[in-house]
């Protein structure tokens, strides 16, 4: 990762009526690269980490990627939930009925 002077700093922008607050953070585990995080300024504490930070990041490129990521999140949330059919134990096939010969009035009984 380049020196801290070359890394894009935190920034905010507004898109579609939403204010996005974007930050670069290094994960707590040693050796991991920094990631872009964002949250919406809507009172919730939900944060999203859509992609790794890179030396070539510009405000415009990060903003475009975050907008696309958030649009995909909204599309996923808008999909109807897939309802699986309720599982039931398969029914056993009914055995064929036994045929009991019925004596015919024409046959002599023994």
């Amino acid at each position: 990762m380049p020196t801290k002077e070359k890394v894009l700093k935190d920034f905010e922008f507004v898109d579609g009526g939403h204010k996005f607050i974007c930050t670069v953070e290094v994960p707590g585990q040693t050796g991991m690269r920094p990631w872009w995080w964002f949250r919406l300024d809507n009172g919730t504490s939900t944060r999203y980490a859509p992609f790794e930070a890179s030396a070539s990041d510009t405000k415009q490129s990060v903003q475009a990627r975050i907008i696309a990521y958030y649009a995909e999140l909204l599309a996923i949330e808008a999909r109807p939930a897939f309802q699986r059919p309720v599982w039931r134990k398969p029914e056993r096939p009914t055995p064929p009925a036994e045929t009991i010969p019925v004596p015919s009035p024409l046959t002599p009984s023994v």
Side-chain angles (χ1 to χ4, degrees):
M1 192 75 202
T3 62
K4 288 190 176 191
E5 292 79 28
K6 292 185 180 181
V7 175
L8 182 60
K9 302 290 182 192
D10 305 344
F11 67 96
E12 299 176 2
F13 67 92
V14 177
D15 181 74
H18 299 289
K19 182 178 180 183
F20 294 81
I21 301 165
C22 309
T23 58
V24 175
E25 296 179 27
V26 178
Q29 296 176 340
T30 308
M32 291 188 73
R33 297 188 54 189
W35 278 72
W36 276 104
W37 287 80
F38 76 92
R39 67 181 174 84
L40 297 173
D41 188 25
N42 60 2
T44 64
S45 61
T46 304
R47 297 183 337 143
Y48 306 93
F51 48 86
E52 281 188 39
S54 75
S56 61
D57 286 340
T58 65
K59 184 177 177 181
Q60 292 76 22
S61 69
V62 171
Q63 183 174 336
R65 290 174 71 187
I66 286 176
I67 290 170
Y69 178 86
Y70 187 66
E72 181 66 22
L73 280 178
L74 294 178
I76 290 168
E77 287 179 5
R79 289 183 201 152
F82 174 71
Q83 298 292 328
R84 290 186 173 183
V86 177
W87 185 89
R88 357 184 281 198
K89 187 174 181 178
E91 294 181 16
R92 290 184 178 182
T94 55
E98 279 188 44
T99 337
I100 302 174
V102 177
S104 162
L106 301 175
T107 48
S109 49
V110 182

